[in-house]
Amino acid sequence: MISPKIILNNGIEIPQVGLGVFEEDFDISKTKEAVKYALEVGYRHIDTAAVYQNEEEVGKALKETTVPRNEIFVTTKVWNSEQGYDSTLRAYENSLKSLQLDYIDLYLVHWPVKNKRKDTWKALEKIYEEKRVRAIGISNYLVPHLEELSTYAHIIPAVNQIEFTPYCNEKDTLDWCRKNGIALESYSPLVRGLKRNDPPLLKLAEKYGKSTFQILIRWAVDQGVITIPKSSSPNRISNNFEVFDFCLNESDLESLSHLHDGTRVADDPMDYL
Ligand SMILES: NC(=O)c1ccc[n+]([C@@H]2O[C@H](COP(=O)([O-])OP(=O)(O)OC[C@H]3O[C@@H](n4cnc5c(N)ncnc54)[C@H](OP(=O)(O)O)[C@@H]3O)[C@@H](O)[C@H]2O)c1
């Protein structure tokens, strides 16, 4: 199976469905095998971050797989405590070292840390201008953060990675990003399983002959959003990738979009104004 790709605003392609590797309990013992298995079943996009403490494990998987490096899209992120101009430049080098790579495909500002985010962005622009990374972007930027960024950015971010699900339906941010050529990427697309038995979701799962998890992934895909469901179980890694043989019709997409109830599994970016 193969994921469709999205073309970013600098012309490079990103596989629309990737594998997230954040382990909530920081037990990273399964990361390497999860990434290798995902690559075997067809994933070509891996999303990690310095703060997940498993860049090294991801790097080992990338070394051991038979899939060539240039076919795999790797994202990592600068953590909050490393933000600022010089420290971000150093953080990028550290991530390269941990991942044992000589370039990263997409480097993101993990959170919009107040008083630091501008210098952090300037550092990402420098890394990009030196052609050491294929694309740069941001994460957890809502409209106020995006508007502020647009006053100082010379390079428009390629991607904005945010929590985006029917239950945390950041429609204004999606619209803003679309208007400004930024690809939206949905994290925690499965709401970490919290909504697995929500009746409207179960009804659609039955209608399409899919799991509620697959319906959630497809809700992102059908809106042209990139998404990175996480699993370290082979079975679930495969299931989460079996989403390219159906699509949700307009009215089902719309009904899912009305499930918004403000459920978040991560922090609210509005606390970072
Ligand atoms: N930028 C940011 O600030 C940010 C924040 C959060 C997450 N992220 C990224 O987004 C990725 C995904 O988000 P997430 O990890 O928070 O949550 P998620 O993908 O919504 O859910 C992951 C959870 O769901 C379980 N799961 C996965 N597939 C399943 C299935 N088919 N059936 C039953 N359970 C299933 C996983 O358990 P098993 O592993 O046991 O299958 C895990 O507990 C992260 O890994 C990370 O890469 C980014």
Side-chain angles (χ1 to χ4, degrees):
M1 223 166 320
I2 270 199
S3 163
K5 289 179 176 171
I6 299 279
I7 300 176
L8 300 179
N9 61 15
N10 65 352
I12 74 162
E13 292 182 331
I14 181 170
Q16 197 176 0
V17 178
L19 180 77
V21 299
F22 173 55
E23 291 291 347
E24 265 182 279
D25 57 3
F26 291 93
D27 173 7
I28 56 165
S29 63
K30 292 193 202 139
T31 303
K32 186 178 88 172
E33 289 311 316
V35 172
K36 281 174 69 179
Y37 182 77
L39 292 169
E40 251 171 61
V41 301
Y43 286 76
R44 291 293 180 268
H45 168 184
I46 310 297
D47 183 272
T48 185
V51 75
Y52 303 167
Q53 299 176 20
N54 60 5
E55 288 177 312
E56 280 189 23
E57 300 306 306
V58 171
K60 285 180 199 161
L62 298 176
K63 277 269 175 297
E64 289 177 21
T65 180
T66 55
V67 180
R69 164 69 183 102
N70 64 6
E71 289 180 18
I72 308 169
F73 194 101
V74 180
T75 300
T76 193
K77 317 179 187 91
V78 53
W79 184 239
N80 300 351
S81 55
E82 305 303 316
Q83 287 202 32
Y85 189 81
D86 290 330
S87 44
T88 295
L89 297 179
R90 279 195 299 274
Y92 187 71
E93 298 309 319
N94 287 337
S95 283
L96 284 178
K97 210 180 292 169
S98 301
L99 284 157
Q100 299 180 67
L101 295 178
D102 49 18
Y103 69 92
I104 283 160
D105 293 276
L106 176 63
Y107 198 45
L108 300 178
V109 181
H110 206 144
W111 285 88
V113 175
K114 201 175 169 183
N115 299 327
K116 292 272 179 79
R117 56 196 178 222
K118 180 174 175 185
D119 288 344
T120 304
W121 185 251
K122 293 285 151 196
L124 262 63
E125 289 185 333
K126 180 175 163 61
I127 299 166
Y128 182 74
E129 277 158 358
E130 289 174 348
K131 300 194 182 343
R132 303 196 56 226
V133 63
R134 295 181 72 224
I136 52 174
I138 54 204
S139 176
N140 295 300
Y141 279 54
L142 302 184
V143 173
H145 309 105
L146 290 163
E147 280 180 344
E148 182 206 76
L149 177 83
S150 66
T151 65
Y152 59 75
H154 295 309
I155 298 171
I156 299 172
V159 168
N160 182 21
Q161 183 184 113
I162 62 168
E163 185 164 354
F164 183 77
T165 66
Y167 305 92
C168 178
N169 186 1
E170 295 285 357
K171 179 87 174 70
D172 291 351
T173 304
L174 174 65
D175 290 344
W176 200 100
C177 287
R178 279 186 175 149
K179 220 179 289 160
N180 290 277
I182 300 172
L184 197 81
E185 178 168 6
S186 147
Y187 74 65
S188 307
L190 311 173
V191 206
R192 296 195 183 151
L194 293 179
K195 300 288 184 179
R196 64 169 71 208
N197 293 323
D198 194 27
L201 205 51
L202 280 170
K203 207 167 139 202
L204 288 179
E206 198 176 317
K207 170 174 172 182
Y208 287 92
K210 291 286 177 180
S211 71
T212 53
F213 294 88
Q214 290 164 325
I215 298 290
L216 287 174
I217 295 167
R218 198 64 221 188
W219 181 78
V221 169
D222 282 327
Q223 295 180 87
V225 168
I226 302 157
T227 188
I228 44 171
K230 178 266 171 184
S231 179
S232 36
S233 130
N235 209 11
R236 296 196 280 264
I237 290 172
S238 296
N239 289 344
N240 293 346
F241 210 56
E242 284 162 16
V243 290
F244 307 120
D245 56 353
F246 80 111
C247 57
L248 299 168
N249 70 31
E250 282 285 320
S251 75
D252 291 335
L253 261 182
E254 183 66 18
S255 71
L256 282 165
S257 300
H258 289 299
L259 295 179
H260 177 83
D261 61 3
T263 300
R264 285 185 180 281
V265 300
D267 286 356
D268 185 345
M270 292 307 274
D271 294 338
Y272 288 67
L273 280 182

